[in-house]
C-alpha cells in the first residue's frame, strides 16, 4: 500500500491577496473602470485601426502614429465599458456547419469571422509626479486571448494564454503628471478549447505599486506547515526582489493573526543584503498554537503578514489569508480531510454563466459555489483551464475543495511556464487540494513521449509545491502506459468498467474519477423533442462514453478505495451541444442549467450527498391534453420509504433503495400528486399540482443589499404565479425589465439550451422569456449612492418590483 500524506497551511495569493490596503507602501488598485472598446479585424488592417501596416508598430520603439496604440488616437466613438468584459456573449447566434463553431455555441467568432474576432481596449489614466520613484505594474487576471499590450505607444508585452494571469512592469513607460494610455489588443481568432471561451479582458485588471525593494508579485510568499497535535508549525518562504539602482540592506519578518487581526505568533527578524536586479528566497518557521483547522463546514482562514523594513521603516508588506488542514490519499481507503474519511462529491465546471458569458462579477462566483454546496458538492474541478482568482476566493471562504487544472499537458517552454504561473499563483489557496496536469490528450497520453512530458510536469509541481500531489484526467480505461505510469493519483475520465481491473493490477496507486457521469437532460422538459433539441429531465440519457449519475455513484459507494469523482458538469455551459446540434447552442450536461436552476438529477445528488430531508417528485403536473395517458413519475429521496398518491388515492408504497430512486407510472389526471415518506421515524411530505394560468410575476433576489462600489452584483430569479400563488412550471411569458437607480443590468437568461434570445439587450430594452417557468436577470452596482429598483412586467400579468438597499 502506498499512502500520500500531506499536511499543509495555505495562503491565498489570488488577485488581491499580495496587496495590503492598510499599508501605503504597496497599493493594489482596481483598474476595471474607464475603458473604451471597439472590434477590430483579423485580416484587414484598414478595419483593424491600421494595425500591422508596414510593420510600423515594432520597427521603432514607441512609434505608433496612425494606429489605435497612439496616445492621441481618437476613440470617442468607441463603446464605454467596464471590466470584466466578454464581447462574444453579445454577438448573435449564427448557424454554420463547422465543428469549431458548433462546439463554441454557434457564436460567430474565430477564423471564419475575422470581423468579430479582434477586440481593442483603451484606458486613460494619470499618475502624480510625487509617485515617481516607485515601481508600477499592470496586472491582468485573464484576457482571451493572445493579447498584446502597449503603454503610451510602447509595446510592453504579450500573453499567449487566454486563462493565466499576467503582470507587466510598466515603470519605465509612465508619463508622470500627464495623461497615460494603456492599450490592449485581444485576438480570439484561434480557440484554446472546444467549448465556449468568450473574448476580451474578461477578468479583473489591477494597477499595483510598490517599493523598488519588494516581495515578488507571483510566488512572493508561500506558507506550508506540519501539523503537530493541536499546533501547526508554519514555514513561510518569501521571495524578495531589488529593482532599485543600488544595493539594498533591510530586514524581513513574518507574523500571523486571527481572522480579526489579533497577532497570534511572530517569526524572527531576518537580515537582507540584496544587490541590484537580484532576488533572494528567505524561509522562516512559526509555531501556531491550537491551530483552527480549515474544513468544509468551518472554512476558518487566518491572516499572514510579511514585512520588509529598511532604516526602521516598513517599505513593503503583503497580507494573505490562509488555512490549516491535512489530507490523505490512500490507495486502499481513499481520501481523508483532517483525518476524516470522505468521498469526493465533485463536479466539473466551465466558467461561463447565462447572460454574462465568461465575464462573471465576483458575486456570481460566490452564488454558484453556494448553489453547489446546497446540493452537497464538496469539490470543484476547474475544467479545463486555470480559474479566475475570485472563484478560488469563494471556495476558500465557503469551504469547497478544488482540483486546479492547467490548460494543456505540454512541457515545452510556453506551457511549462503556464503551469508554473498557475502553481505560483494558486498554491496558497486553502481550497486547492490536487493539481491536474492536463485532460484527455488523445494522441500522446499513452506514449513514451506522454510519459516524459508528464514526468516533467509532475517534477515541476513537486518543486514549486511539495505540499500537494497531482493527477491527470485520462480517458484511457485501465491502460497503464504513458502518463499513468508516473502520475501520483490515477484519474479516470469515464471508463469506470475498468476500475476493478486497474486497481487490482496497480494496488499502490490511488484512483479518482476526474470526470464521470455526463447525463444529458433539459430542465422542465420530460419528453424527447428532436425539433427543439431537448432531452427528458430524468437521469436516463447519456453519451456512449458515459453513464447515469446513479450508475457512477453506486460504483463509488461500493469501493472504499475509490476516492470519488467529479460529475460532468455542475452547470450547463455554452457550446458542446449533445446529443443534438443546432438549434441547440448549450450543453445539456449540467446538474443545474446555465442559470443555476436545478434539474431532476440535482435532487438525486442532494438526496445521497447530504443529510437534508429530500423528497422530490418529477415531473410537474401540468399536462393538459394528456388526460388518461401514462406519465413516468420519478421520486428522489433519502427517506426509508415513499407512498405516492394522486388526488388522495394511494398509488402504492415502496422502499427507497440505497443510492437509488423510485419510479411509478401514473395515468394523468389534473389535481395533486403527493408523496409521503418516512425517514428514521419522521414524516416528510411533498407534492406537485396542476396550476392555473399565470397571473403575476415574482422577482426573487439573491440579496437585497448592494455595495455601491461598481463591483457588487445581485442575481434576480423570475417566476410566474397563478391566482392561488403557485409557481407555474410551464409558463413561457416574455418578461420585460426596467431598472432605476445606481445599477445596471449586465445579462439575462432562462436556461433554455435552444434559446436564441439575446443575453445582452443592446438597445437597452431588457427582456427574456420564461423557460420552464423561470428566467434570470443579473444586476451590477454603480459607484453612486441611491435607491435601486428593478421592475418585471409582462402583458396580461401583474408586475412585481424589488428595491435594493
Amino acid at each position: 500500500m502506498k499512502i500520500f500524506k500531506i499536511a499543509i497551511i495555505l495562503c491565498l495569493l489570488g488577485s488581491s491577496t499580495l496587496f495590503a490596503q492598510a499599508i501605503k507602501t504597496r497599493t493594489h488598485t482596481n483598474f476595471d473602470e474607464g475603458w473604451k472598446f471597439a472590434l477590430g479585424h483579423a485580416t484587414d488592417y484598414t478595419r483593424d485601426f491600421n494595425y500591422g501596416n508596414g510593420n510600423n508598430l515594432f520597427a521603432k520603439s514607441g512609434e505608433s502614429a496612425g494606429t489605435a496604440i497612439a496616445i492621441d488616437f481618437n476613440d470617442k466613438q468607441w463603446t464605454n465599458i467596464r471590466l470584466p468584459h466578454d464581447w462574444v456573449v453579445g454577438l448573435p447566434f449564427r448557424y454554420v456547419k463547422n465543428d469549431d463553431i458548433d462546439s463554441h455555441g454557434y457564436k460567430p467568432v474565430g477564423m471564419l469571422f475575422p470581423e468579430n474576432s479582434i477586440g481593442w481596449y483603451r484606458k486613460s489614466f494619470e499618475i502624480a509626479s510625487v509617485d515617481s520613484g516607485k515601481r508600477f505594474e499592470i496586472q491582468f487576471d485573464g484576457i482571451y486571448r493572445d493579447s498584446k499590450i502597449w503603454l503610451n505607444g510602447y509595446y510592453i508585452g504579450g500573453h499567449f494564454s487566454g486563462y493565466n494571469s499576467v503582470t507587466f512592469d510598466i515603470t519605465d513607460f509612465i508619463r508622470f503628471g500627464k495623461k497615460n494610455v494603456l492599450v490592449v489588443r485581444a485576438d480570439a481568432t484561434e480557440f484554446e478549447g472546444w467549448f465556449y471561451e468568450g473574448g476580451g479582458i474578461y477578468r479583473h485588471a489591477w494597477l499595483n505599486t510598490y517599493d523598488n525593494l519588494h516581495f515578488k508579485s507571483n510566488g512572493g510568499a508561500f506558507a506550508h506547515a506540519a501539523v503537530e497535535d493541536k499546533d501547526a508549525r508554519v514555514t513561510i518562504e518569501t521571495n524578495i526582489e531589488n529593482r532599485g539602482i543600488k544595493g539594498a540592506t533591510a530586514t524581513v519578518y513574518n507574523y500571523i493573526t486571527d481572522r480579526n487581526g489579533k497577532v497570534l505568533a511572530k517569526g524572527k527578524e531576518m537580515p537582507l543584503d540584496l544587490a541590484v536586479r537580484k532576488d533572494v528566497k528567505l524561509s522562516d518557521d512559526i509555531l501556531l498554537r491550537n491551530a483552527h483547522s480549515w474544513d468544509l463546514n468551518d472554512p476558518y482562514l487566518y491572516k499572514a503578514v510579511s514585512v520588509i523594513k529598511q532604516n526602521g521603516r516598513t517599505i513593503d508588506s503583503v497580507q494573505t489569508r490562509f488555512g490549516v488542514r491535512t489530507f490523505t490519499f490512500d490507495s486502499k481507503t481513499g481520501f481523508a480531510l483532517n483525518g476524516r474519511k470522505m468521498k469526493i462529491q465533485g463536479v466539473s465546471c466551465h466558467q461561463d454563466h447565462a447572460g454574462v458569458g465568461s465575464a462573471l462579477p465576483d458575486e456570481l462566483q460566490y452564488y454558484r459555489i453556494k448553489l453547489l454546496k446546497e446540493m452537497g458538492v464538496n469539490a470543484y474541478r476547474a475544467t479545463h483551464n486555470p480559474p479566475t482568482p475570485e472563484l478560488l476566493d469563494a471556495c476558500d471562504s465557503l469551504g469547497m475543495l478544488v482540483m486546479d487544472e492547467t490548460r494543456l499537458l505540454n512541457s515545452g517552454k510556453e506551457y511549462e511556464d503556464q503551469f508554473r504561473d498557475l502553481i505560483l499563483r494558486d498554491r496558497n489557496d486553502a481550497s486547492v487540494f490536487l493539481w491536474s496536469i492536463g485532460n484527455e490528450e488523445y494522441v500522446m497520453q499513452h506514449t513514451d513521449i506522454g510519459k516524459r512530458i508528464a514526468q516533467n510536469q509532475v517534477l515541476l509541481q513537486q518543486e514549486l509545491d511539495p505540499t500537494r500531489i497531482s493527477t491527470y484526467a485520462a480517458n484511457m480505461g485501465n491502460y497503464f502506459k504513458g502518463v499513468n505510469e508516473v502520475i501520483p493519483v490515477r484519474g479516470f475520465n469515464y471508463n469506470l468498467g475498468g476500475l476493478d481491473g486497474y486497481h487490482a493490477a496497480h494496488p499502490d496507486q490511488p484512483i479518482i474519477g476526474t470526470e464521470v457521469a455526463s447525463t444529458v437532460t433539459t430542465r422542465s422538459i420530460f419528453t424527447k423533442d428532436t425539433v427543439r433539441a431537448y432531452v427528458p429531465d430524468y437521469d436516463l440519457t447519456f453519451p456512449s462514453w458515459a453513464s447515469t449519475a446513479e450508475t457512477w455513484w453506486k460504483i463509488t459507494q461500493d469501493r472504499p478505495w475509490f476516492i470519488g469523482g467529479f460529475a460532468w458538469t455542475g452547470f450547463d455551459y455554452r457550446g458542446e451541444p449533445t446529443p443534438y446540434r443546432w438549434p441547440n447552442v448549450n450543453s445539456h450536461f449540467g446538474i443545474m442549467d446555465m442559470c443555476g436552476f436545478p434539474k431532476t438529477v440535482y435532487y438525486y445528488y442532494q438526496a445521497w450527498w447530504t443529510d437534508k430531508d429530500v423528497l422530490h417528485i418529477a415531473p410537474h403536473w401540468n399536462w393538459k391534453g394528456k388526460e388518461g395517458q401514462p406519465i413516468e413519475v420519478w421520486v428522489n429521496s433519502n427517506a426509508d420509504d415513499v407512498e405516492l398518491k394522486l388526488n388522495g388515492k394511494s398509488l402504492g408504497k415502496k422502499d427507497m433503495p440505497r443510492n437509488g430512486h423510485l419510479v411509478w407510472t401514473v395515468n394523468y389526471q389534473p389535481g395533486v400528486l403527493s408523496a409521503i415518506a418516512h425517514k428514521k421515524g419522521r414524516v416528510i411530505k411533498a407534492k406537485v399540482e396542476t396550476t392555473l394560468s399565470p397571473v403575476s410575476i415574482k422577482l426573487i433576489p439573491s440579496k437585497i443589499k448592494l455595495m455601491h462600489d461598481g463591483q457588487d452584483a445581485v442575481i434576480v430569479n423570475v417566476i410566474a404565479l397563478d391566482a392561488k400563488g403557485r409557481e407555474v412550471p410551464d409558463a413561457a411569458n416574455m418578461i420585460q425589465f426596467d431598472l432605476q437607480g445606481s445599477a445596471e443590468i449586465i445579462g439575462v437568461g432562462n436556461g433554455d439550451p435552444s434559446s436564441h434570445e439575446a443575453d445582452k439587450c443592446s438597445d437597452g430594452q431588457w427582456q427574456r422569456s420564461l423557460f420552464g417557468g423561470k428566467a434570470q436577470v443579473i444586476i451590477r452596482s454603480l459607484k453612486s449612492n441611491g435607491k435601486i429598483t428593478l421592475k418585471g412586467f409582462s402583458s396580461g400579468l401583474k408586475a412585481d418590483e424589488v428595491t435594493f438597499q
Side-chain angles (χ1 to χ4, degrees):
M1 177 177 65
K2 188 175 183 181
I3 301 176
F4 297 94
K5 290 186 177 179
I6 304 172
I8 62 174
I9 184 168
L10 296 165
C11 296
L12 288 172
L13 293 182
S15 64
S16 62
T17 52
L18 262 179
F19 307 93
Q21 297 291 343
I23 298 174
K24 301 303 182 183
T25 54
R26 176 181 286 262
T27 65
H28 182 60
T29 304
N30 183 275
F31 231 42
D32 288 350
E33 292 193 28
W35 289 87
K36 294 276 195 173
F37 170 78
L39 284 174
H41 200 283
T43 60
D44 183 352
Y45 73 85
T46 65
R47 299 167 63 185
D48 199 35
F49 308 105
N50 217 30
Y51 177 77
N53 181 23
N55 198 33
N56 62 354
L57 300 180
F58 303 107
K60 297 290 184 180
S61 184
E63 290 190 7
S64 57
T67 72
I69 299 160
I71 295 178
D72 59 357
F73 176 82
N74 185 354
D75 57 17
K76 290 183 178 180
Q77 299 303 312
W78 289 22
T79 304
N80 296 316
I81 63 101
R82 181 160 40 136
L83 307 181
H85 179 250
D86 174 3
W87 84 72
V88 175
V89 70
L91 297 176
F93 296 100
R94 181 171 171 183
Y95 174 71
V96 175
K97 191 174 182 180
N98 176 277
D99 287 343
D100 272 339
I101 302 303
D102 168 279
S103 64
H104 285 77
Y106 296 102
K107 288 292 186 177
V109 66
M111 289 290 189
L112 296 180
F113 304 97
E115 71 280 9
N116 293 333
S117 300
I118 302 294
W120 284 90
Y121 295 84
R122 286 171 54 90
K123 177 181 172 67
S124 299
F125 62 99
E126 292 187 12
I127 295 178
S129 299
V130 70
D131 289 327
S132 63
K134 298 179 181 179
R135 298 219 70 81
F136 293 83
E137 175 184 81
I138 187 69
Q139 172 185 331
F140 294 102
D141 286 341
I143 304 173
Y144 194 85
R145 63 169 295 279
D146 195 11
S147 57
K148 291 178 170 54
I149 299 99
W150 293 263
L151 181 62
N152 297 328
Y154 292 90
Y155 180 65
I156 61 173
H159 194 51
F160 179 80
S161 170
Y163 297 101
N164 278 65
S165 302
V166 64
T167 61
F168 298 97
D169 189 315
I170 60 173
T171 307
D172 293 346
F173 310 104
I174 292 173
R175 292 155 37 108
F176 291 99
K178 298 179 180 180
K179 173 183 173 181
N180 293 274
V181 178
L182 182 65
V183 180
V184 177
R185 182 182 189 265
D187 184 344
T189 53
E190 291 185 71
F191 302 126
E192 290 195 49
W194 48 96
F195 38 84
Y196 178 85
E197 298 178 279
I201 311 176
Y202 70 100
R203 295 177 181 173
H204 292 303
W206 309 89
L207 179 66
N208 305 323
T209 69
Y210 40 76
D211 193 87
N212 283 304
L213 183 66
H214 57 265
F215 296 102
K216 298 185 75 170
S217 295
N218 200 25
F222 180 36
H224 48 95
V227 174
E228 302 173 354
D229 295 326
K230 295 182 179 181
D231 304 330
R233 186 163 297 277
V234 184
T235 300
I236 301 178
E237 302 172 28
T238 52
N239 194 347
I240 299 117
E241 179 182 40
N242 180 14
R243 289 298 306 276
I245 60 174
K246 60 181 180 180
T249 301
T251 58
V252 180
Y253 67 93
N254 306 281
Y255 62 91
I256 297 170
T257 79
D258 66 11
R259 59 169 49 155
N260 298 315
K262 179 183 177 181
V263 177
L264 302 177
K266 183 177 177 180
K268 61 181 179 290
E269 198 156 346
M270 299 171 286
L272 175 68
D273 192 2
L274 196 57
V276 175
R277 301 186 68 85
K278 298 295 183 181
D279 61 83
V280 66
K281 294 180 181 179
L282 300 178
S283 182
D284 192 16
D285 288 339
I286 302 176
L287 184 63
L288 182 62
R289 296 286 187 184
N290 298 312
H292 190 154
S293 295
W294 182 94
D295 213 325
L296 299 177
N297 296 320
D298 184 18
Y300 189 87
L301 295 167
Y302 291 96
K303 297 176 183 177
V305 181
S306 301
V307 179
I308 302 175
K309 290 185 70 175
Q310 191 175 59
N311 300 321
R313 182 176 65 91
T314 296
I315 63 168
D316 197 17
S317 178
V318 294
Q319 178 177 285
T320 69
R321 297 182 306 168
F322 69 86
V324 177
R325 69 174 185 179
T326 66
F327 48 76
T328 303
F329 294 88
D330 189 312
S331 62
K332 288 189 175 180
T333 61
F335 174 74
L337 174 64
N338 297 327
R340 185 180 74 258
K341 288 184 174 59
M342 65 173 63
K343 292 290 187 180
I344 293 298
Q345 300 170 175
V347 291
S348 299
C349 291
H350 284 303
Q351 63 179 359
D352 61 306
H353 188 90
V356 294
S358 295
L360 276 66
D362 298 352
E363 178 66 20
L364 193 48
Q365 306 287 358
Y366 284 81
Y367 180 78
R368 285 161 62 97
I369 296 301
K370 287 176 183 176
L371 291 178
L372 292 173
K373 283 185 69 71
E374 181 72 16
M375 188 181 84
V377 174
N378 62 21
Y380 181 106
R381 177 185 173 212
T383 47
H384 304 286
N385 49 263
T388 183
E390 288 70 35
L391 182 277
L392 297 180
D393 288 348
C395 293
D396 293 329
S397 300
L398 299 175
M400 177 75 72
L401 297 170
V402 174
M403 178 190 291
D404 207 344
E405 187 164 282
T406 192
R407 174 61 206 91
L408 195 68
L409 177 59
N410 190 316
S411 58
K413 179 173 172 50
E414 172 65 43
Y415 287 103
E416 181 182 286
D417 285 348
Q418 287 188 25
F419 192 35
R420 180 190 305 276
D421 289 344
L422 172 66
I423 294 172
L424 290 176
R425 190 196 70 174
D426 297 349
R427 64 183 177 177
N428 292 302
D429 279 284
S431 54
V432 176
F433 81 116
L434 191 61
W435 299 107
S436 172
I437 66 172
N439 172 78
E440 293 186 359
E441 300 290 350
Y442 302 105
V443 174
M444 46 72 73
Q445 62 185 355
H446 61 283
T447 68
D448 189 58
I449 290 176
K451 175 183 176 180
R452 295 198 301 270
I453 292 172
Q455 183 70 80
N456 182 84
Q457 301 302 77
V458 169
L459 291 174
L460 175 64
Q461 178 260 299
Q462 292 172 350
E463 172 194 342
L464 299 174
D465 178 17
T467 70
R468 296 182 185 84
I469 51 179
S470 53
T471 187
Y472 168 75
N475 57 332
M476 300 167 64
N478 60 2
Y479 200 83
F480 181 65
K481 296 294 184 181
V483 175
N484 291 336
E485 293 183 72
V486 297
I487 199 71
V489 177
R490 167 67 208 272
F492 265 77
N493 277 20
Y494 314 108
N495 297 292
L496 298 185
L499 276 177
D500 292 334
Y502 188 91
H503 177 63
H506 310 285
D508 293 336
Q509 191 177 35
I511 301 176
I512 189 171
T514 38
E515 193 171 312
V516 292
S518 280
T519 305
V520 286
T521 59
T522 308
R523 179 183 60 80
S524 79
I525 302 297
F526 294 91
T527 56
K528 184 178 180 180
D529 186 336
T530 58
V531 175
R532 292 183 293 177
Y534 297 150
V535 284
D537 194 8
Y538 301 111
D539 186 23
L540 282 175
T541 311
F542 56 92
S544 59
W545 67 82
S547 72
T548 64
E550 190 167 321
T551 298
W552 93 266
W553 188 243
K554 285 182 175 179
I555 289 172
T556 301
Q557 288 296 84
D558 291 342
R559 290 159 177 79
W561 46 267
F562 186 40
I563 289 171
F566 296 87
W568 188 262
T569 53
F571 302 91
D572 279 346
Y573 55 93
R574 189 80 78 207
E576 281 199 298
T578 307
Y580 305 111
R581 297 196 172 191
W582 184 269
N584 180 211
V585 295
N586 291 1
S587 80
H588 286 87
F589 293 116
I591 301 166
M592 291 176 273
D593 68 17
M594 284 197 67
C595 295
F597 298 135
K599 303 181 185 180
T600 300
V601 71
Y602 171 101
Y603 299 98
Y604 170 80
Y605 284 113
Q606 189 181 56
W608 303 115
W609 283 7
T610 75
D611 294 326
K612 299 174 183 178
D613 290 343
V614 178
L615 182 60
H616 180 264
I617 305 169
H620 58 73
W621 212 237
N622 285 9
W623 296 103
K624 186 177 181 180
K626 290 193 174 184
E627 288 78 6
Q629 297 182 30
I631 302 289
E632 190 170 284
V633 175
W634 284 43
V635 174
N636 281 300
S637 180
N638 49 17
D640 302 319
D641 56 62
V642 179
E643 182 182 12
L644 194 68
K645 294 183 177 183
L646 178 58
N647 296 326
K649 181 179 179 180
S650 178
L651 302 177
K653 182 178 180 180
K654 299 181 180 183
D655 292 334
M656 177 62 67
R658 183 71 181 168
N659 298 310
H661 71 285
L662 295 173
V663 179
W664 282 262
T665 300
V666 181
N667 291 330
Y668 176 65
Q669 295 176 10
V672 179
L673 184 67
S674 60
I676 302 174
H678 298 88
K679 181 180 179 183
K680 299 178 181 179
R682 293 180 288 106
V683 176
I684 310 170
K685 296 181 179 181
K687 65 180 179 179
V688 292
E689 53 187 312
T690 310
T691 70
L692 304 172
S693 298
V695 298
S696 63
I697 296 167
K698 180 68 175 177
L699 303 178
I700 306 171
S702 60
K703 60 183 183 181
I704 59 171
K705 292 185 178 181
L706 277 171
M707 292 186 292
H708 290 284
D709 59 358
Q711 297 290 335
D712 202 5
V714 59
I715 297 88
V716 182
N717 294 329
V718 188
I719 61 174
L721 304 177
D722 71 2
K724 295 183 178 181
R726 298 172 298 189
E727 182 176 347
V728 182
D730 56 350
N733 307 70
M734 177 64 74
I735 312 296
Q736 285 85 38
F737 302 101
D738 179 66
L739 182 67
Q740 299 294 325
S742 182
E744 60 183 347
I745 297 174
I746 60 172
V748 290
N750 63 11
D752 181 354
S754 294
S755 173
H756 299 165
E757 295 177 45
D759 291 279
K760 305 281 189 181
C761 299
S762 57
D763 59 0
Q765 303 299 310
W766 288 93
Q767 63 179 18
R768 193 65 181 237
S769 62
L770 299 174
F771 175 71
K774 298 180 186 294
Q776 186 174 85
V777 56
I778 302 169
I779 298 169
R780 183 169 59 186
S781 72
L782 299 175
K783 282 194 171 182
S784 57
N785 291 321
K787 184 173 68 174
I788 301 169
T789 301
L790 175 70
K791 184 177 181 180
F793 54 96
S794 180
S795 177
L797 303 184
K798 182 181 178 181
D800 190 26
E801 67 178 44
V802 59
T803 298
F804 301 96
Q805 300 175 16

